[in-house]
Amino acid sequence: MKNNKIWILAFIVACLLLQPTSIYSAQSSDAKQGSVSVPVTTGLTGSENSAKTFYLDLPNGVTGPAIKAGTLKYSGNNSIVGAITVENGKIKVTLKGNVKDETFPVSGADGSFGKPFKTTPGNSIWRYADGRRWQINDYKEDKGYNVSYNKNAEDYGMPSGTPPPTTVTTKADPVSPSTATWYRADQTRVPSSSVIQSSIKLDPRDIIGYTGSTSIKNGRFLITYQVPSAQQRAEQVSDGFDKGQWVEGRLYYVTLPYYFNAQAKLTSYSYAGTVTFDYSPPDQATLNGTATLEKPSPNPIKLEGSKVDVKINVKGELLGYVDSSNIEEWVFYAKEKNGTAKADMKKEYSKLLTASKSFDYSIPASRVVNDNFKQDYTLTVIIRFKRPVVTKTGTITSLEQSMEVSAGVYKKDNPVSYPSVPSTPTKPEGKPPIARITAPKYIKAGSDMMVYGGNSSDPDGYITDYAWGTPGAEGGIENTARGYVWYTRDKVGETFPITLTVVDNDGMTGSTSTEVTVIEPRPSADLEISGSLKQNRKTTLTNTSSSPTRFPIIKSRTQVTISAVSGGTNADIKYSGSLAELESKDVLFKKPGKYRATIHVENTAGYASDKEITFDIIPDESPVAYFAMPIGAYRDPTNGNKAVISIDDMSFSSDKDNIIKRIWEYRYDSNNNGSFIDESWVQFSDENKTRLNLELYQVGKYEVRVTVIEEFGQPTIEDFVTDADRLRTSSEATQNVIERIVEVNNRPPEVDWDF
C-alpha cells in the first residue's frame, strides 16, 4: 500500500510536466540586460503576507535558458528570502514584506463607507371604539418596560384623525459591532480583527425627518420624540383591546442612523522592486514552442460520465527574426501518443511572429481500464519560410519543436487523501503548499457567498487540487479554487467554520480555516440619481436596492417620495405616472434648489430598509451675448455710397447649452442728439449668423444689438418644458454700450498739390 501511494504521487507529477525541446536555437555572445518589475503591492494584512513569492513573466523575446547564471539581482526595499531562480519559464523571487504598524481611528458602517446603520423603533398609538380617545404607549427607562395611558382627542373630527401631540420615549438595540464594516477616514477598509474591541463606542446621528433627542444607556438607544411623527404605518390592535368600527392602531416610528467609532491597530506589508538579469538574445531564427493542458482541470480528474474532455493549446514564438513577410505558414500537429488515431493538423497563414492553435480530445470511459489512467499527447509546432533563411549552420526553410503533455483520469476517490494524510506516509521531497481562504466575515441568510482559495500557493511548484469543508452551509464546492454556498434563515446568529486543504504537485498538503457569521437577511434600500442634475433637464431616479437572493424585495411594498428641501417647491417636481413600485423614473425639476428622495423596501423575509438621498439641482445659466465690430466706417462712393460694417459674434453659453438663434438689429440716431432712446430698432438678420456685414447709407451713429436664444444642451422631458424655458439674452444686458456703437462718415477728399 505504501509503495502504491508513492507511485500515485509520482504519477501526478508526471501528468503535469511540460517538456519542450528546442531543435534550432543559438545563443549570442553579446549579452543584454533585461528587467521585470515586482507588482507594487501595499496594505496586505495578516501574518501569511509577511513573506510573498512572486512568479514574474519574462519580457517578450527572452527565454529562461537565455538568462545567464548568477546575473539575477533584486533591487528594492524588501529583503530576499532564498535565491532568485527561473522555474517553468518564469522568474521566481520570494521577498519579506516591509512592515508598517499604526494605530488610528476607524468608523464602523453598514457594509460600505459612509453608509450608516439604521434603526426604526416606535410606539403604538391606538384609537378606541368611541372615536375620541387614544391609548398612548410610552417606554419608561426606570421601569424597563412600556406603560399605557389614555388621552382625549384635541381635533374636531369624528372619529378623531390625529392623536393629541404627546412626547414619548422608545428604545432601540443597536446591531452587534461584529456586523460592522470598518473604514479609515480615507475610505480604506480595515479588517475587523484589527479593531480594538474595548474602544468601540456608539455614534448616533440626527434623527431623520424631525427634531428629537437620543441618549445611550447600557448600550441601548433611548429616543424621545413627539407623536404623531412624520413616519407611520398601520398596526394590528391587540386581541384584548376594545373592538368597534373606529378602532384603529398606528405605529409612529422614527429613523435613527448611527455608526460605531473605535481605534484600530494594524500591521501591513508592502512589496515592490525590480529584478534585473543579463541574457543572450538569439542571433538567428529560433523557434520557442510551448504546450499547455487547459482541460481537464484539475489534472488528474475523476471520471464522471462517459468521457473526459481534453483541451491542449500549442503556441509557437519566432525569436531572433523580424521579417514576418517571409513566413509562409505555421503548422501545428497533435496526436495521442501510442494511439492508433490519426494526427490532427491545423494551419495558420497570418504573417505573425507568434501563433497558436487549440486541440480538443476526449478520453472515453471504456479506455480507463484501471483505477488510474494516463493519456500522453505529442505536440509539434512548425514554421515554414517562403525563402531560405541563412543561419550559422547553413540555410533553413523551416523550424520545428516537439513537446509532450499528459492527462490523467482516476475512477475511484482520489488516491491522495486530504485533508488528512495516511498514518504512515512517505515523506515527499520539497516544500508544502500554503492554503489561503478569501471569504466575507459576515453573510446575510439567503445570500450566495463566494469562497475563494485561488490565492493559495506552493513555494516550489503549483497547486493541483482543493478540498473544502463548509459545515452548516447549503450547496457545496467541488475540487476547484472557488465556489458558492449559502445559509438558511434558521442559522442567523450562528458562526460556522470554513476549511481548505490544498495539494501540490509533490503530493504535499497545506490547510487553513476561517469563520463566517450568518446575519439577518435585511434588504439594502438604495437610490441612484443620474443625469445633468440641472433645471429643466431630465434627471433619472433608479431603484438600486438589493436583498438576499432567496428573500427578494416585494415590489408592491416599495415606497418612493421626492420632495423639495429649499429653493423650489413640490409643485416644481415633474414626472409622468406614479412612483409606486419604482424601478426607474425620469424626473424634471422646474426650479433649482435642494431636493430629497426617500425609498422604503421590504423583502419576503419580513425585513424593511429605508434610504434617503439629498441632491442639488443647479440653475440653468443664461447665455452671454457679445460681438465685435469697428467703431467707425466710411461710405464708399464706388459701392453705392454704402458703409459696410463687419461684425463677428462671440456669444457663448457658460453651461454648455447650444445657441440656436441670433437676432441682429440696429437703430439710427436720426436727429444726431446723442441718444437712441427715441429711435426704433430695425432687424437686419435672424439667420443665426456668427459673421455678417451690416450695410449703412446715412452718415451718423448707429447702435447694434444681438439677441441670442439657446436650446438645451442636455436631455430634457418635452412634456414639461415650453419655449419660455429656453433662455435668451440681449447684448444690451451683457455688453458695454460703447462697444455696440459705430459711426459712419463720408470719406475725406484726396488733395493733390502738384503744379
Side-chain angles (χ1 to χ4, degrees):
M1 183 65 179
K2 180 177 180 181
N3 292 334
N4 186 43
K5 285 185 163 67
I6 295 174
W7 181 90
I8 291 170
L9 292 176
F11 166 71
I12 295 174
V13 176
C15 286
L16 297 175
L17 286 177
L18 181 65
Q19 301 173 335
T21 301
S22 178
I23 294 180
Y24 294 100
S25 65
Q27 299 297 324
S28 171
S29 59
D30 298 327
K32 290 188 176 182
Q33 188 176 69
S35 66
V36 291
S37 297
V38 176
V40 177
T41 310
T42 61
L44 297 179
T45 59
S47 59
E48 69 274 12
N49 287 306
S50 60
K52 190 173 181 65
T53 299
F54 296 89
Y55 290 88
L56 309 176
D57 291 327
L58 293 173
N60 289 336
V62 179
T63 61
I67 296 178
K68 291 193 172 185
T71 65
L72 287 162
K73 296 180 181 179
Y74 166 79
S75 60
N77 295 325
N78 298 93
S79 299
I80 302 176
V81 180
I84 307 175
T85 58
V86 178
E87 295 184 9
N88 297 323
K90 294 187 177 184
I91 293 177
K92 175 188 174 185
V93 57
T94 301
L95 303 173
K96 287 185 178 179
N98 286 328
V99 179
K100 181 180 180 182
D101 291 318
E102 57 180 329
T103 301
F104 47 86
V106 291
S107 176
D110 185 11
S112 60
F113 181 82
K115 180 181 179 182
F117 293 97
K118 289 183 180 179
T119 182
T120 55
N123 286 9
S124 298
I125 310 296
W126 297 340
R127 186 176 61 202
Y128 283 90
D130 59 16
R132 298 296 299 165
R133 288 183 304 139
W134 293 86
Q135 183 186 95
I136 310 296
N137 287 289
D138 190 9
Y139 178 77
K140 298 299 182 183
E141 191 270 335
D142 57 336
K143 297 181 179 181
Y145 55 82
N146 280 347
V147 298
S148 299
Y149 56 89
N150 299 332
K151 293 192 71 171
N152 293 326
E154 296 181 5
D155 60 353
Y156 298 99
M158 190 63 187
S160 170
T162 306
T166 307
T167 299
V168 295
T169 299
T170 185
K171 66 177 177 65
D173 292 315
V175 299
S176 170
S178 62
T179 65
T181 305
W182 298 91
Y183 294 91
R184 303 179 68 153
D186 62 0
Q187 302 189 23
T188 301
R189 187 168 177 175
V190 177
S192 58
S193 58
S194 300
V195 177
I196 302 172
Q197 297 298 307
S198 60
S199 69
I200 298 176
K201 296 181 180 179
L202 285 169
D203 179 18
R205 302 300 172 93
D206 291 338
I207 303 173
I208 295 176
Y210 61 93
T211 302
S213 62
T214 304
S215 61
I216 302 172
K217 291 187 178 181
N218 299 322
R220 169 180 288 173
F221 294 120
L222 297 180
I223 305 170
T224 300
Y225 66 107
Q226 189 177 74
V227 294
S229 64
Q231 297 172 306
Q232 63 166 302
R233 60 175 176 264
E235 186 175 47
Q236 184 173 352
V237 180
S238 65
D239 293 337
F241 199 78
D242 189 18
K243 301 296 183 181
Q245 176 184 356
W246 288 331
V247 172
E248 182 178 278
R250 302 177 189 174
L251 177 68
Y252 288 98
Y253 64 97
V254 296
T255 301
L256 173 69
Y258 65 95
Y259 296 89
F260 294 98
N261 287 334
Q263 293 288 315
K265 184 175 182 180
L266 188 67
T267 299
S268 62
Y269 305 93
S270 61
Y271 296 89
T274 304
V275 176
T276 60
F277 53 87
D278 294 336
Y279 70 98
S280 299
D283 58 358
Q284 63 182 38
T286 301
L287 178 60
N288 183 40
T290 57
T292 304
L293 183 69
E294 298 180 349
K295 291 182 182 180
S297 178
N299 181 37
I301 195 170
K302 185 176 181 180
L303 178 63
E304 302 284 355
S306 60
K307 64 176 182 176
V308 170
D309 292 327
V310 177
K311 186 180 184 70
I312 306 170
N313 179 267
V314 185
K315 178 182 177 182
E317 183 180 13
L318 183 60
L319 304 176
Y321 191 79
V322 295
D323 186 9
S324 60
S325 64
N326 192 36
I327 297 175
E328 181 177 1
E329 64 179 3
W330 289 90
V331 183
F332 300 86
Y333 290 97
K335 187 179 185 301
E336 294 178 352
K337 190 175 182 180
N338 301 323
T340 59
K342 184 180 178 181
D344 191 5
M345 182 186 71
K346 295 183 179 182
K347 291 189 176 184
E348 175 63 56
Y349 295 100
S350 58
K351 310 298 182 183
L352 299 175
L353 299 177
T354 301
S356 64
K357 291 292 182 182
S358 291
F359 295 88
D360 295 307
Y361 289 93
S362 64
I363 302 174
S366 59
R367 192 182 300 175
V368 186
V369 296
N370 50 30
D371 290 341
N372 295 284
F373 174 80
K374 179 169 69 77
Q375 177 63 62
D376 298 321
Y377 298 88
T378 300
L379 301 312
T380 303
V381 56
I382 301 172
I383 185 170
R384 293 177 177 151
F385 302 99
K386 292 181 180 178
R387 301 178 302 278
V389 176
V390 178
T391 69
K392 291 181 178 180
T393 58
T395 59
I396 59 172
T397 58
S398 66
L399 293 172
E400 178 178 332
Q401 183 171 332
S402 296
M403 299 143 283
E404 287 190 5
V405 296
S406 300
V409 183
Y410 59 91
K411 297 176 70 174
K412 296 182 179 180
D413 289 339
N414 195 331
V416 179
S417 178
Y418 51 90
S420 61
V421 297
S423 57
T424 56
T426 299
K427 183 178 179 180
E429 296 181 359
K431 298 179 181 180
I434 301 170
R436 294 188 179 94
I437 297 176
T438 301
K441 294 295 183 184
Y442 303 93
I443 186 65
K444 293 179 180 180
S447 290
D448 288 313
M449 177 181 74
M450 188 182 79
V451 183
Y452 183 65
N455 291 327
S456 302
S457 61
D458 183 29
D460 58 351
Y462 46 91
I463 305 296
T464 63
D465 220 337
Y466 302 80
W468 293 93
T470 56
E474 302 297 318
I477 310 175
E478 299 297 331
N479 295 337
T480 59
R482 74 176 69 193
Y484 292 86
V485 297
W486 63 281
Y487 296 87
T488 57
R489 188 175 177 182
D490 60 352
K491 302 293 194 306
V492 170
E494 297 185 53
T495 299
F496 296 93
I498 298 176
T499 63
L500 170 64
T501 296
V502 294
V503 183
D504 68 9
N505 58 304
D506 295 320
M508 303 184 74
T509 63
S511 300
T512 189
S513 66
T514 187
E515 291 182 338
V516 60
T517 300
V518 184
I519 61 177
E520 295 176 327
R522 294 185 179 276
S524 296
D526 207 359
L527 284 171
E528 285 188 359
I529 289 287
S530 60
S532 57
L533 299 186
K534 183 177 173 183
Q535 176 186 6
N536 284 319
R537 306 304 194 270
K538 182 176 73 173
T539 298
T540 301
L541 185 66
T542 304
N543 180 357
T544 56
S545 303
S546 61
S547 185
T549 306
R550 289 157 188 85
F551 302 109
I553 290 174
I554 303 173
K555 189 175 180 181
S556 62
R557 295 186 184 177
T558 299
Q559 302 172 14
V560 176
T561 63
I562 312 175
S563 58
V565 177
S566 62
T569 66
N570 289 348
D572 296 317
I573 305 170
K574 304 293 183 182
Y575 53 85
S576 299
S578 72
L579 299 177
E581 302 183 5
L582 179 134
E583 293 183 358
S584 180
K585 177 68 68 175
D586 292 333
V587 185
L588 183 139
F589 298 87
K590 298 297 294 181
K591 290 184 179 179
K594 187 177 292 292
Y595 294 85
R596 178 186 297 117
T598 65
I599 184 171
H600 171 84
V601 297
E602 299 179 21
N603 66 10
T604 55
Y607 291 92
S609 178
D610 298 273
K611 177 69 178 288
E612 173 184 284
I613 58 173
T614 302
F615 52 94
D616 294 312
I617 298 298
I618 62 174
D620 188 3
E621 301 291 344
S622 298
V624 177
Y626 190 84
F627 62 89
M629 68 177 182
I631 61 174
Y634 294 104
R635 295 197 300 176
D636 185 358
T638 65
N639 188 25
N641 221 21
K642 296 182 294 185
V644 179
I645 314 300
S646 297
I647 302 174
D648 288 304
D649 180 68
M650 293 180 285
S651 303
F652 64 92
S653 172
S654 61
D655 56 354
K656 300 182 180 180
D657 287 327
N658 304 315
I659 296 178
I660 60 168
K661 193 169 187 179
R662 293 170 171 82
I663 301 174
W664 295 92
E665 300 171 284
Y666 73 86
R667 55 184 178 182
Y668 173 55
D669 185 7
S670 60
N671 53 15
N672 198 28
N673 64 354
S675 174
F676 295 92
I677 297 178
D678 55 343
E679 306 293 348
S680 298
W681 288 100
V682 177
Q683 179 177 311
F684 64 93
S685 176
D686 64 352
E687 299 179 5
N688 201 33
K689 292 183 176 180
T690 58
R691 174 170 290 183
L692 70 166
N693 292 329
L694 170 61
E695 296 181 344
L696 301 173
Y697 294 89
Q698 294 177 288
V699 173
K701 293 184 177 180
Y702 295 81
E703 181 184 0
V704 180
R705 73 178 180 186
V706 62
T707 301
V708 296
I709 304 172
E710 70 177 18
E711 179 57 86
F712 304 134
Q714 304 84 30
T716 186
I717 305 177
E718 291 293 344
D719 291 344
F720 301 125
V721 294
T722 65
D723 287 342
D725 294 317
R726 276 87 174 173
L727 300 183
R728 61 177 63 204
T729 301
S730 169
S731 55
E732 289 180 291
T734 57
Q735 188 172 8
N736 195 312
V737 66
I738 196 172
E739 298 175 322
R740 298 186 288 104
I741 295 177
V742 60
E743 184 175 4
V744 175
N745 291 302
N746 287 319
R747 187 180 300 278
E750 296 181 1
V751 178
D752 188 352
W753 296 97
D754 292 337
F755 292 95

